[in-house]
Structures are given as structure tokens and as C-alpha cells.
Amino acid sequence: GPGWEKAATIFQWLAVSLFAGIPMNASGWIFISLGKTRRMFIWSLIFVPIVGLGFLLAIPYGVVGIAASYAITMNLLLLPCFAFATRASPVSFIDAIKVILPLAACGVVAAMAGISVSDPTRHPFVQLLLGSSVSGGVFLLLAGCTIMKAGVYRDIRSRIVTLSRGLAVEVKSRPRPLLE
């Protein structure tokens, strides 16, 4: 409603930061699973000052500028983060990017789909529901198709099938409650 427009802009920028923030969190799995927490600490010593510098440079532009700075900085640091995490590890940088980029592209298309149904004449709550439903649906559809078709996700597909079969067997073997 009135007076909250700036908050919407802040959250839009923070949503943009998630395109990099979510995969960057996954880089921690590489560090931790390989026992390279010291490298993870070193990355944080690089990452935090860069984000802090971005905040300092954005102060003259207010809260929206700080949110924009965070989103831009996160997205600029995505590839260096994975390059650092995969350096001298059995996981190659290219392999990590092959997994990340297709789903990131799905996210970009889904976000654009959500934005495309935006209409300022609608009630904000209706806009929120419609935009999130459209973008969520588009993402699930595209990501599902990507995971089903792309070779890089072969292991994930086989794990899903194995887990689904195990779950189906478990559900079938449970006694059914009697209806009274």
C-alpha cells in the first residue's frame, strides 16, 4: 500500500541477490565435504570486505542503493566463489558451472515471467499471488524439464527414481487404518 513502495524495491533487489546467493551457499558443500574449511575461511576474508566496500559505496544512495549494491556484488562474486571453491579439488569449475547455470537460467526466465504478469492496477496482494504463482510454476516446469533432459543431472535423476521406488515400497507395506 501507500508508503511501502520503497520496501518493494528493496525486496526486488534482494530477490536478484538470490540468483547468486543460493548457489554460493552450495559452494560451502564443496569446502566442507572436502575438508577445506580453511579455504572457506579464506574465501570469507575475501568476500566480506568486498561486500562491505559495496555497502560503503552505496550509502549515498540510501537503503535501496545498499540493497542494489548487495545484489550486484553477490552476482559479480558468483563465478570467483566457485573458482576458488573448486581450485585444487576433484570438482572442476566447469562441472560446477554446468550444474549451476541451467537452473540459474530457469530462475531468470521464471522471474521475467512473474514480472510480465505485473499490473499496477491490481491489488498488491493479487499481484503478489499471481506473480509468485507464475514465476514459481514456470521455474518448476523449466527446472523439471532441465533436470529430466540434461546429462549433467543424470545422477540426480537416478537418485530420485531410487528414492521414489523406496518410498513407494514403504507406503505399500504400511498397514492401512480402518475407517469406522
Side-chain angles (χ1 to χ4, degrees):
W4 287 93
E5 294 84 8
K6 197 176 267 194
T9 306
I10 292 167
F11 281 106
Q12 287 170 336
W13 277 111
L14 292 176
V16 169
S17 76
L18 293 175
F19 285 111
I22 292 171
M24 284 174 83
N25 281 333
S27 72
W29 302 342
I30 297 170
F31 289 120
I32 292 168
S33 67
L34 297 174
K36 298 191 179 263
T37 54
R38 185 175 191 279
R39 283 185 63 76
M40 187 176 188
F41 176 69
I42 292 168
W43 172 251
S44 71
L45 293 177
I46 296 166
F47 173 79
V48 171
I50 293 172
V51 172
L53 177 63
F55 286 165
L56 287 175
L57 294 173
I59 286 174
Y61 303 99
V63 179
V64 173
I66 290 172
S69 168
Y70 182 70
I72 293 165
T73 304
M74 290 292 287
N75 282 281
L76 289 175
L77 290 175
L78 176 64
L79 294 180
C81 174
F82 274 93
F84 193 79
T86 57
R87 193 169 141 227
S89 83
V91 179
S92 77
F93 175 72
I94 297 299
D95 287 341
I97 297 308
K98 282 181 183 176
V99 171
I100 293 167
L101 287 183
L103 293 178
C106 293
V108 169
V109 172
M112 290 189 298
I115 291 168
S116 72
V117 297
S118 177
D119 180 359
T121 62
R122 285 192 193 108
H123 187 277
F125 186 70
V126 172
Q127 258 190 233
L128 175 66
L129 284 176
L130 183 61
S132 60
S133 297
V134 167
S135 61
V138 168
F139 180 77
L140 288 174
L141 177 69
L142 293 176
C145 290
T146 300
I147 289 170
M148 294 308 293
K149 298 291 183 188
V152 72
Y153 300 108
R154 188 173 296 115
D155 288 340
I156 293 172
R157 287 192 305 266
S158 69
R159 286 184 187 147
I160 290 170
V161 168
T162 302
L163 290 172
S164 298
R165 286 181 182 153
L167 181 62
V169 167
E170 185 179 326
V171 168
K172 285 181 183 178
S173 67
R174 287 188 181 173
R176 299 181 192 263
L178 296 173
L179 298 176
E180 296 182 26

